[in-house]
């Protein structure tokens, strides 16, 4: 480990300025006029210091789909976006439905060193929805899995969903549901509504999401277990989660940055960068999810970072893959959609992008305040910067970002993970001082 480092003059969660002294992987001191003999000094004056961001919904693609992303390239993208921990979804090849595969993912993350990689286990074998995967074995493995999801596929069978909720209750786990009724979305290409009718594209109705969420919150209540709703996207879904929380049901929910900002009007150009599941919704839905995040109905922002090779997007709309990359742009989009609009302050951002996802995923050592004695996991953000988002801002293998050519505020300047820098003055560190 290198010598002490003092980050001078950062605004802690957007508040008062203070110095942050990092020593041996920990925050040794936070305050004014901090000093340490021989310490390296980083000028952080005016930068907003946030706890290291935590993404509960990342697709790293490895093993099996390394043409799209690897654990190394994906965690470098995470570092560029201010993330110090990511939860890796199980839709790999082989599927992460056993202790062996989740331990392999864990080891790949440890070897890369750019962020903590916490595997998510599949709910069913092969994500096929037919029988439960080895939930207990994954939970008791070295990967210590606590979040389980068939993301990309809905756990559609209510009996299997009930059994999964019952099983994970025993060890404090959570089922993260991809809420999509498959029968109601057969052949769907975009949000069902005025735009889909005008374009002649098969629609993905809001009720396909809302009906699954309604069923699952009732199952969670019946079992007394924890449910997490992935990438919530409609006004009706917000209403259901709000009702369930008032009822005392143990449900949490996430919204993606793209559902906070983009609408289905963008599909009119048939640019497949805007094809995603769940699809971009109406302006009314964007307003509703923003309000839901602001009032705490929606607990967190999660990227659903979904890299694809060029050939999967540079094709006609119907043949294109669903998904967008989002790690590098997430904080800037939340800044634009939620902070600049006055709906959240920087302390709220620390909650929805760090503390709450770490808590939901039972990830120790992350989401903690920037305070003496805590792990040195934080990011420094220049809220006064900004500009056009380009491929130069992307650090993963894929470039399927919906924000290319769009002006976004802010700039992530430093990311500190386990006390060492993974991003330094806006550049990903090539050789980590781990």
């Amino acid at each position: 480990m290198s010598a002490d480092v003092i980050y001078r003059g950062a605004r802690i969660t957007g508040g008062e300025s203070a110095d942050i002294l990092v020593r041996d992987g920990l925050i040794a001191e936070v305050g004014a006029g901090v000093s340490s003999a021989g310490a390296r000094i980083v000028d952080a004056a005016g930068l907003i210091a946030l706890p290291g961001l935590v993404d509960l919904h990342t697709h790293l693609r490895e093993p099996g789909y390394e043409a799209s992303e690897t654990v190394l390239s994906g965690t470098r993208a995470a570092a560029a976006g201010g993330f110090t921990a990511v939860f890796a979804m199980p839709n790999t090849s082989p599927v992460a439905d056993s202790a062996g595969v989740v331990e392999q993912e864990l080891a790949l993350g440890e070897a890369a060193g750019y962020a903590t990689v916490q595997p998510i286990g599949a709910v069913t074998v092969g994500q096929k929805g037919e029988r439960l995967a080895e939930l207990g074995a994954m939970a008791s493995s070295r990967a210590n899995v606590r979040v389980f999801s068939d993301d990309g596929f809905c756990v559609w069978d209510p009996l299997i969903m009930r059994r999964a909720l019952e099983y994970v209750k025993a060890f404090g786990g959570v089922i993260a549901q991809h809420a999509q009724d498959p029968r109601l979305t057969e052949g769907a290409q975009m949000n069902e509504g005025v735009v889909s009718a005008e374009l002649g594209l098969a629609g993905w109705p809001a009720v396909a999401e809302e009906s699954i969420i309604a069923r699952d919150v009732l199952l969670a209540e019946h079992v007394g277990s924890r449910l997490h709703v992935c990438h919530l996207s409609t006004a009706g879904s917000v209403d259901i989660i709000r009702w369930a929380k008032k009822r005392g049901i143990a449900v949490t929910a996430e919204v993606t940055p793209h559902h906070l900002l983009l609408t289905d009007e963008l599909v009119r150009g048939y640019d497949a960068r805007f094809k995603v599941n769940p699809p971009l919704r109406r302006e009314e839905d964007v307003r509703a999810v923003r309000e839901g995040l602001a009032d705490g109905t929606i607990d967190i922002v999660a990227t659903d970072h979904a890299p694809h090779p060029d050939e999967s997007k540079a094709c006609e709309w119907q043949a294109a893959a669903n998904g967008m990359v989002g790690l590098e742009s997430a904080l800037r989009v939340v800044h634009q959609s939620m902070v600049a609009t006055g709906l959240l302050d920087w302390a709220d951002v620390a909650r929805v992008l760090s503390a709450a996802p770490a808590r939901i995923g039972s990830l120790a050592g992350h989401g903690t305040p920037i305070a003496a004695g805590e792990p040195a996991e934080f990011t420094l953000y220049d809220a006064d910067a900004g500009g056009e988002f380009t491929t130069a801002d992307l650090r993963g293998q894929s470039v399927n970002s919906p924000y290319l050519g769009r002006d976004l505020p802010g700039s992530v300047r430093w990311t500190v993970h386990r006390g060492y820098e993974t991003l330094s003055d806006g550049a990903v560190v090539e050789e980590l001082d781990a």
Side-chain angles (χ1 to χ4, degrees), residues 61-118:
R61 304 302 193 203
E62 187 179 12
Y65 304 105
E66 289 83 357
S68 298
E69 195 80 284
T70 65
V71 171
L72 176 60
S73 66
T75 52
R76 285 169 64 91
F83 289 88
T84 60
V86 296
F87 283 73
M89 279 293 177
N91 55 338
T92 51
S93 181
V95 170
D97 58 5
S98 66
V101 180
V102 295
E103 288 183 346
Q104 178 186 359
E105 290 180 329
L106 183 73
L108 288 168
E110 291 171 340
Y114 284 91
T116 296
V117 174
Q118 176 57 51

Side-chain angles (χ1 to χ4, degrees), residues 122-136:
V123 177
T124 65
V125 174
Q127 296 178 291
K128 294 180 179 179
E130 298 170 351
R131 56 191 177 93
L132 289 182
E134 300 174 7
L135 308 185

Side-chain angles (χ1 to χ4, degrees), residues 334-381:
V334 171
H335 180 181
Q336 183 175 79
S337 61
M338 300 300 297
V339 180
T341 56
L343 292 169
L344 294 182
D345 61 22
W346 291 110
D348 293 323
V349 173
R351 171 174 52 83
V352 302
L353 272 169
S354 184
R359 173 180 54 79
I360 293 167
S362 302
L363 187 63
H366 288 272
T368 56
I370 298 175
E374 298 290 352
E377 304 274 350
F378 60 88
T379 187
L380 299 176
Y381 181 72

Side-chain angles (χ1 to χ4, degrees), residues 57 59 89-91 127 149-153 176 178 230-231 304:
H57 194 145
H59 299 272
M89 279 293 177
N91 55 338
Q127 296 178 291
S149 180
D150 273 0
D151 184 62
F153 302 94
H178 175 102
C230 295
H231 42 48
D304 195 9

Side-chain angles (χ1 to χ4, degrees), residues 11 19 42 151 167 176 254 277 303 313 365-366 376 408 419:
R11 296 173 54 209
D19 304 335
V42 172
D151 184 62
Y167 203 114
E254 72 190 33
N277 182 350
T303 72
K313 286 291 189 178
H366 288 272
L408 294 177

